[in-house]
Each structure stands twice: as C-alpha cells, then as structure tokens.
Amino acid sequence: MVRSTHLEPFAFRSILVSALLVFAAASGFMSAAHATQLSSTARSGMLPSPPPPSGAALPTRIALAAPSTTTTTTTSRNLLASALLSAPNAFAGAPGANANQNTLVLYDSTGQWGWLGEAYAVMAGNLVTHGSKYTMHAAVNYVAGELNGYTGLVYVGSTYGEPLPTPMLDDVLATTKPVLWMNDNIWQLSARATDFAGQYGFTPMFFDFSNALTVTYKGVALQRNALTVPSGLLQTVINDPTKAQVLAAATNDVGGTINWATRGGNLTYIGEIPFAYTGPNDRYLAAADLIGKVSNPAMLSRKRALVRIEDVGPDADPAELRAIADYLFSKNVPFSVAVIPFYVDPNGVYNNGVPVSRHLYQARGVVNALHYMQSRGGTLLMHGYTHQYSNIPNPYSAVSGDDFEFFRAHIDASNFVIFDTPVAEDSAMWAQGRITKGQLEFAAAGFLAPTIFVPPHYAASAIDYQVFKASFASRYDRGLYASGWCPNGACGTGTPDYTRIYGQFFPYLVRDIYGSTVVPEELGNVELVAFNNNPPRFPADILYSANCNTVIQDGVQSFFFHPYLDISYLKQIVQGLQAMGYTFVPANTVKQG
C-alpha cells in the first residue's frame, strides 16, 4: 500500500509564536522585517534568535544588579549546595554520566522575551545530562558562592542587558572551573574584570551582521541558518594566542571569518544563541560538543550507531521484514523495530471506503516475521497504540502510521503542518489507557511488553510524557517541549504553553526535563519525495548529516527506515556509517549509558 511520509519533528510550527512575533514588530520592539523572518521560520518548530541588538557596538555603561548579601563562608556554601541539590530545579544525569560532575545552568529571564531564555536553558540542560547532573535557574537569582557547589557553569545570555548579579560575575572571574558563556552580556563580565584580556587572552569586540552561514568546527563545515544573521554574531579578538584560541569560525559570503567560539583559559565563549534556527547539519552540533566538555571533561570517545525499522504494524509485509532482518544480521548490525500493535483505517482510506481494523495477533505472518527479526538481533519497541487519532485526519488520513496519536495537528494553506494542542481527551488516565491497551496487544501476540517507547511523530503533551516515563525505561525520539513548564528551572511546577512549543534532537543519550532517558535519533529517514515544504532526503543526505555529527565526542549516529522502501537505501546508509568507523549497537546498550 502507498503510505504517507513520516513527519519529521523539525517540520512543525506554533501559530501563536508566529502571531507573537508579528505583535513584537507592531509594538516597535524589533523591526518588522526581522519579525517576518522569525514568523516564517516558526513554521519549522525551531526556536527563534533573540531580538537583534540596537547596533554593532557593545554597551559602554553597564548597569549591574545589586550585590547579594549572602554570606560566603565555607559552611554557608555547603548548606547552599545541599539545598540546591534537593531543589525542584536539580536534575539527574543520564545513565553513564559522570557521578562526580554537577553543572550549573543559568539563563536570562527578564523582559518580553524572557520565555526564550527558559526554552534555551531547557535545551542546554537536556544536553548537559549526557555528562552530568545539573541545576537550572534564572541568572538573576544567582547568590554569592553558588558556583562553589558545582563543577562547571553554562550561561545562556539571551536578553541584551540582562541585569546579572555582581556576585555571579565575580564568581565566574574567580573560578578555575570550566565555564561556557553564550551570546549576550559577556561585556558585563569583561567590564567587571580587572584585566579581562590579560586573564583570558581575548576581548569581546562588536556584533557582526555579515551573512555568515557556515561554522567550521573540528574541520567540519556546519550550517548556520540565514535567519540568525539579523541577531548578529558577537566578534572576539585574540589578544594573547598563548592563552586563547578560536575553536570554531564562521565564514561569510565574501570570504571573511568571524570567531564563533573562543576559548581562553577555563572560559569558552560562543558569540550567539546556538539553539535558534537549528537543523540536522547545524552549528548546534558544535554547541552540543562544547557543552559536553563542561559537563564531563573526561567524556568517552565511543563511535556508536543505531538503526530503527519504522511503522511496523499488522499491515506490514512479512517478506520485507525478513529481508531487512537477514541483511542487517549479515552485517552484524543489531536493530530496533518500532511496532504499531493495532492498525486502524476508520474511514477505509486505503480500502475503497470500507473501514479496517486489525490487531497484531491477527496478523500471523507479521507476528512470525517479528519473532524472526528478534532472532536476528531485533529489539521490539512500542510505537504508540494505533499511531493515529479517532476517525478524523490528524493531519493526513486518520490511518495508523500516517497521523499523530497524542497531539492535534492540521495542514495550513501554505502546506505546513501546524501543531495545535494536545488532544481533547488528554489526561494521565487517557494516555495510560492507550499505553495499557498497546501492552495488551503485544501480550496477545505472544511478545513481552517493550521497555522502550517511540511517541508517534515525536509529539505528546507534558502529561503524556510523564506517563511514558512511568511506563517505559526509555523513550527513543526527539523531544517536544512547551514554554512555561519550567519556571525558574523547576520543571513540572509551571503550566505548559502549547502556543510556544519547540523540538530538540539529541546526538547522544540524555535524560530530558520529563525525567526520561532518551535514546537519540538525529539523522532522520529516507524520503523520496518532498512533503509539507520538506525536501526529499536520500541516503547521501543522511550520510552528510552523519559527517556533521562526527564533531560530537561520544556521539551516536542514529536513523530510522521504513520497510516498504527499497532495501538498497538501507544498505547505503549502513555501509556508509560503518565506513566512517561507527559500530552498530542495540538501543538497550545505548540506554544504559
């Protein structure tokens, strides 16, 4: 049967994010042209950049927050560290994280765009967990001596002129622990220092607005979305090459270079927000690697790969499944199989108008093929209960494998998929009911219940994600997050705003803000035709993305494949990754750290 394509997680948008950006332009907070750019990019579900600075020059007058009166004795520092570790904004690391490491993540929270700071910090915190546990909160709430309770600091400066506490600046300048500073307000740190250039060997200079669309890191050219250009890239100059070095450089369209990431002593500086306008081949990958160097300086250097066979339901072709199993087994490639245990076509879209439903246990050929796949190194995963919602298009056909299950969506007049809201019935009881039904379907077909869950189209509500965590050892996906869920870094204490949603892919194992261990999938899948404004994606494109991911220390190259496609595409990707020196391992191995 002809099946519609799998919706990539980076192919969605939030309507009201777009509306809010247009409102910002109308209110004069940013230029109308820049707001239009932000609005159009919101279609992809990527977070926008912060509003651009008023000019290229850095501020010459710095207004700092009032000094903290917190006592900084050793006793008080220890009490503070103990309190923070038990706070709701303290998070555990992923399996395999260094137990001796503990990272502090600080972010900007003031002004109209403070919600962006929380979102950027969530993305940074998720990545930190690969190396360590962490605590996350707004920078304005920093207290003197706090950094002493941590092994490293990540600060995301997204608000131009955020009133950073003087003790925070003083503690950063005094520490020898690794610090990663992103984007704004580095000028506050340099102004506070007695001799910033002498201490770190470099100086922040001005914002560069040239059309710099390539960032080279570890010799690999990564992409930088053109929509980041209006927000600028803060340029640095190296004063002392014995103390500082350029880790990554951006190249503009006239051959000029701009320092993208600079390291001086224990301080690493990135001249923009690397979580804005991200893509599969993006400079976000460089940031993910640099975060790892703060969260765990002793990070392992494994080269592992994963392959997942996607959307396998009672309607699958057993012969195709067996052929895939035989090929992967011949190449010593363990693999996963994302199984949809109950197939429904409520309107008969693929059956001449006659409704169809089929349980997994009723498809004996598929059941036998799945057992065969297990014998050849396959691990079964649960890919939703029906992988569709009700009898209405959501957004395609209402057929299993085509549509969303835990979130509502539609296609707009411009052919973009619009994420709307969680389904009307959404609750812990409703989500748990679907999970339980799916587990019973596996049991009825003679299989143990899977321990790994793949949310259909990588979309669910915050409530649903908590149900998934309680029911499965791990998820295997890209996360979908909503602003407002983590006030002052205390995730789960706020109310998610589904008009401000954003996705994130991971290049390695993490434990995200929902508490779930997340097995990564960042390379995507083969798509032979364009859909919903996404271009086709062939094996060469996936391998290109894999080459970009080689900048990640301890990265996992992970993709998925639909069995109804020609197996030659699968072979090209597998052989390409093996030629790059990556070894395929089971998802169960990766989830253990």
Side-chain angles (χ1 to χ4, degrees):
M1 116 182 8
V2 177
R3 303 301 304 276
S4 62
T5 52
H6 187 290
L7 176 69
E8 286 290 352
F10 46 79
F12 63 79
R13 70 168 175 173
S14 163
I15 298 172
L16 288 186
V17 166
S18 177
L20 286 167
L21 294 168
V22 173
F23 171 79
S27 66
F29 188 74
M30 65 174 75
S31 71
H34 187 60
T36 300
Q37 288 180 319
L38 296 182
S39 175
S40 64
T41 301
R43 295 184 174 112
S44 68
M46 298 177 286
L47 284 171
S49 294
S54 56
L58 302 185
T60 56
R61 299 177 64 184
I62 309 298
L64 303 178
S68 168
T69 58
T70 302
T71 305
T72 57
T73 64
T74 301
T75 300
S76 65
R77 289 170 185 164
N78 291 339
L79 289 173
L80 173 64
S82 177
L84 289 170
L85 289 175
S86 61
N89 55 359
F91 300 85
N98 189 333
N100 297 319
Q101 298 292 122
N102 187 16
T103 305
L104 178 60
V105 177
L106 300 175
Y107 63 93
D108 293 345
S109 58
T110 66
Q112 181 179 3
W113 299 97
W115 68 271
L116 276 175
E118 176 193 311
Y120 298 143
V122 165
M123 296 181 79
N126 286 339
L127 294 171
V128 162
T129 63
H130 184 62
S132 76
K133 55 190 173 185
Y134 75 101
T135 295
M136 173 174 67
H137 68 76
V140 294
N141 294 325
Y142 183 91
V143 296
E146 187 176 346
L147 184 53
N148 293 320
Y150 299 91
T151 54
L153 168 66
V154 174
Y155 165 63
V156 187
S158 59
T159 298
Y160 185 96
E162 182 84 354
L164 297 180
T166 302
M168 172 187 163
L169 302 176
D170 289 343
D171 287 353
V172 169
L173 292 168
T175 191
T176 58
K177 299 172 182 178
V179 173
L180 175 60
W181 192 293
M182 303 181 196
N183 198 41
D184 281 341
N185 307 314
I186 187 69
W187 53 85
Q188 295 186 34
L189 187 68
S190 63
R192 184 67 180 171
T194 302
D195 181 8
F196 186 89
Q199 182 173 351
Y200 297 110
F202 72 93
T203 302
M205 297 297 293
F206 56 86
F207 284 97
D208 184 284
F209 298 102
S210 65
N211 200 36
L213 305 182
T214 301
V215 173
T216 301
Y217 178 63
K218 294 185 177 180
V220 177
L222 305 172
Q223 296 170 356
R224 181 173 183 253
N225 194 306
L227 291 172
T228 63
V229 170
S231 291
L233 177 57
L234 202 154
Q235 175 66 293
T236 63
V237 63
I238 303 296
N239 304 106
D240 186 347
T242 67
K243 294 182 179 180
Q245 60 180 311
V246 176
L247 301 180
T251 306
N252 62 27
D253 54 4
V254 294
T257 59
I258 305 97
N259 298 342
W260 187 85
T262 308
R263 176 177 292 158
N266 65 309
L267 174 65
T268 299
Y269 176 70
I270 295 175
E272 65 167 339
I273 297 293
F275 306 122
Y277 303 119
T278 60
N281 312 316
D282 195 74
R283 86 287 192 219
Y284 162 80
L285 298 171
D289 187 62
L290 291 172
I291 286 172
K293 295 185 184 309
V294 174
S295 65
N296 182 11
M299 190 77 71
L300 296 174
S301 297
R302 296 168 293 187
K303 298 181 68 174
R304 301 182 293 178
L306 294 172
V307 56
R308 189 178 78 220
I309 309 306
E310 193 78 348
D311 291 342
V312 176
D315 60 324
D317 184 333
E320 292 173 345
L321 301 180
R322 289 175 178 270
I324 287 172
D326 285 339
Y327 168 71
L328 294 175
F329 182 77
S330 73
K331 292 296 182 179
N332 194 31
V333 173
F335 57 96
S336 300
V337 187
V339 178
I340 306 166
F342 184 33
Y343 174 84
V344 291
D345 180 354
N347 302 312
V349 171
Y350 298 126
N351 194 41
N352 299 316
V354 179
V356 175
S357 64
R358 195 176 194 191
H359 299 275
L360 182 60
Y361 69 83
Q362 294 174 317
R364 296 314 306 174
V366 174
V367 169
N368 291 336
L370 289 174
H371 281 296
Y372 183 77
M373 296 180 94
Q374 287 181 311
S375 73
R376 308 295 265 180
T379 299
L380 303 190
L381 319 175
M382 187 176 183
H383 194 21
Y385 170 45
T386 63
H387 202 316
Q388 55 82 238
Y389 171 73
S390 189
N391 60 351
I392 56 178
N394 190 35
Y396 298 111
S397 65
V399 179
S400 292
D402 289 353
D403 279 13
F404 292 81
E405 182 171 349
F406 294 91
F407 217 90
R408 291 303 310 277
H410 73 277
I411 300 173
D412 73 1
S414 300
N415 194 31
F416 285 97
V417 173
I418 309 301
F419 275 41
D420 297 320
T421 64
V423 300
E425 305 92 332
D426 191 49
S427 68
M429 182 177 295
W430 177 83
Q432 186 59 63
R434 296 191 76 81
I435 296 301
T436 300
K437 290 176 182 177
Q439 293 169 331
L440 291 174
E441 291 286 348
F442 276 92
F447 298 105
L448 296 175
T451 61
I452 300 177
F453 187 68
V454 184
H457 290 330
Y458 298 167
S461 73
I463 291 172
D464 302 333
Y465 279 115
Q466 293 172 89
V467 171
F468 303 156
K469 176 184 180 295
S471 302
F472 298 91
S474 299
R475 295 196 334 262
Y476 187 167
D477 66 348
R478 309 180 186 188
L480 179 66
Y481 308 99
S483 176
W485 180 242
C486 303
N488 198 36
C491 296
T493 64
T495 301
D497 181 354
Y498 294 109
T499 68
R500 293 170 168 173
I501 56 175
Y502 53 99
Q504 184 178 15
F505 65 87
F506 307 110
Y508 36 51
L509 184 74
V510 305
R511 187 187 302 278
D512 76 351
I513 59 169
Y514 300 119
S516 293
T517 299
V518 184
V519 176
E521 184 285 294
E522 81 279 24
L523 298 181
N525 62 298
V526 173
E527 294 290 359
L528 303 182
V529 296
F531 71 102
N532 299 131
N533 296 291
N534 289 299
R537 190 163 173 82
F538 296 100
D541 299 307
I542 291 175
L543 293 174
Y544 180 87
S545 295
N547 183 65
C548 293
N549 273 266
T550 60
V551 303
I552 302 288
Q553 185 171 338
D554 201 35
V556 179
Q557 304 276 15
S558 180
F559 73 101
F560 63 94
F561 184 81
H562 290 95
Y564 50 77
L565 294 174
D566 192 300
I567 197 172
S568 64
Y569 299 120
L570 175 64
K571 294 178 179 180
Q572 291 175 53
I573 300 169
V574 167
Q575 293 168 14
L577 290 176
Q578 289 180 327
M580 293 167 64
Y582 287 85
T583 299
F584 283 88
V585 297
N588 283 324
T589 297
V590 171
K591 80 177 186 184
Q592 294 169 6

